[in-house]
Amino acid sequence: IKYYAVDRALNAETAGAGQTFIFDATRPESKVTTPASGAKLNALSAIQGTADDYPPTGKPWAVGVATTSLAVPPYDGVNIALRSVSGGGFYNGANWSSGSHYWFTVSYSSTTKQWTRLTSILGTFTGPGVPADGTYEIIPRAIDNARNFEVAYATRTFIWDTTAPESFTTYPASGSFVATISQITGTAYDATAGAKESRVRFYYTSGSDYYWTGSSWTTNAHDLTHNIGGYVGVSTWTISITTGLVQGI
């Protein structure tokens, strides 16, 4: 914008260099890169992502994502909100009872276009029971220097599970007597992430410990692995025995 004044005597001011500004009505975009979509985790040290203010199609300008981080609403830069899908509430720094987005600021670099927030600072996803096992969402939001707010959130969903699964042998029964055995069966249970596999150590002691590898006996400790496939709830497993056992063991 260039401007000058003219008085009633028709004296005209010499126009100066004027002022320039950028009109930007395009919203910035952000996304989460860590954790991965659908990840099943029992540890998470930081939440990370990217954000940028892309110019309109065919245009060379953009004002950029704001790099300030105001400590009060409506904030600036990049924010994240955390929601419990299992419980329905948003994390507010103390609990998961908020009914709407509660925004946390993150550290953002305008050079790398990357942002991060340590979970130790957030005070959640820090260990067993913090928070409770379940499915969670991370909602990123970017704000540019023209105060355009991102509204189409690229929500990231993952599973938090810090509880160990449970397993049980169903055959043979403990203390039972058997004449032949062709397989060992059992169950595994996991309520949140789903059991991935069962590991069975089948062995006997006769001077030394002998372990079944699936085809032979060895004195080297060995676990038999059965892939369960991540089934949530109770799943079954079977280990086949293809050779005879030593009597009396």
Side-chain angles (χ1 to χ4, degrees):
I1 300 174
K2 288 191 175 183
Y3 49 88
Y4 64 93
V6 180
D7 65 17
R8 290 185 176 183
L10 300 181
N11 296 301
E13 176 187 15
T14 301
Q19 296 176 320
T20 61
F21 69 95
I22 296 175
F23 176 76
D24 180 359
T26 302
R27 301 182 188 277
E29 299 176 12
S30 63
K31 65 179 181 179
V32 178
T33 56
T34 302
S37 179
K40 298 173 176 61
L41 305 176
N42 62 7
L44 180 64
S45 61
I47 299 171
Q48 299 173 311
T50 61
D52 205 352
D53 188 36
Y54 299 98
T57 303
K59 305 298 182 180
W61 60 78
V63 299
V65 173
T67 55
T68 58
S69 293
L70 302 179
V72 294
Y75 305 118
D76 260 329
V78 181
N79 318 136
I80 58 171
L82 308 173
R83 177 178 176 269
S84 168
V85 176
S86 306
F90 290 85
Y91 181 61
N92 58 23
N95 55 57
W96 295 82
S97 63
S98 291
S100 59
H101 296 81
Y102 189 98
W103 298 105
F104 296 90
T105 58
V106 301
S107 298
Y108 174 74
S109 169
S110 59
T111 302
T112 65
K113 314 297 184 184
Q114 297 178 336
W115 55 263
T116 186
R117 179 77 181 215
L118 297 177
T119 55
S120 59
I121 297 177
L122 285 170
T124 192
F125 301 116
T126 55
V130 186
D133 292 356
T135 301
Y136 291 87
E137 292 177 341
I138 302 170
I139 306 162
R141 180 187 70 175
I143 308 166
D144 68 16
N145 285 300
R147 302 294 290 165
N148 293 305
F149 283 66
E150 182 179 13
V151 294
Y153 305 133
T155 301
R156 175 61 51 88
T157 304
F158 72 102
I159 292 173
W160 177 255
D161 184 356
T162 59
T163 302
E166 301 173 2
S167 62
F168 182 75
T169 300
T170 55
Y171 182 83
S174 179
S176 63
F177 302 93
V178 297
T180 61
I181 183 171
S182 60
Q183 62 183 19
I184 301 171
T185 62
T187 61
Y189 171 78
D190 190 86
T192 308
K196 176 185 177 182
E197 60 189 21
S198 62
R199 299 177 183 178
V200 179
R201 181 166 294 187
F202 182 46
Y203 70 100
Y204 70 90
T205 300
S206 180
S208 298
D209 290 338
Y210 292 87
Y211 302 87
W212 178 244
T213 66
S215 59
S216 62
W217 297 96
T218 179
T219 55
N220 298 318
H222 184 84
D223 289 338
L224 301 167
T225 301
H226 178 78
N227 181 31
I228 295 174
Y231 184 80
V232 176
V234 178
S235 54
T236 60
W237 52 263
T238 300
I239 301 296
S240 297
I241 306 299
T242 60
T243 189
L245 304 184
V246 176
Q247 292 195 61
I249 300 300

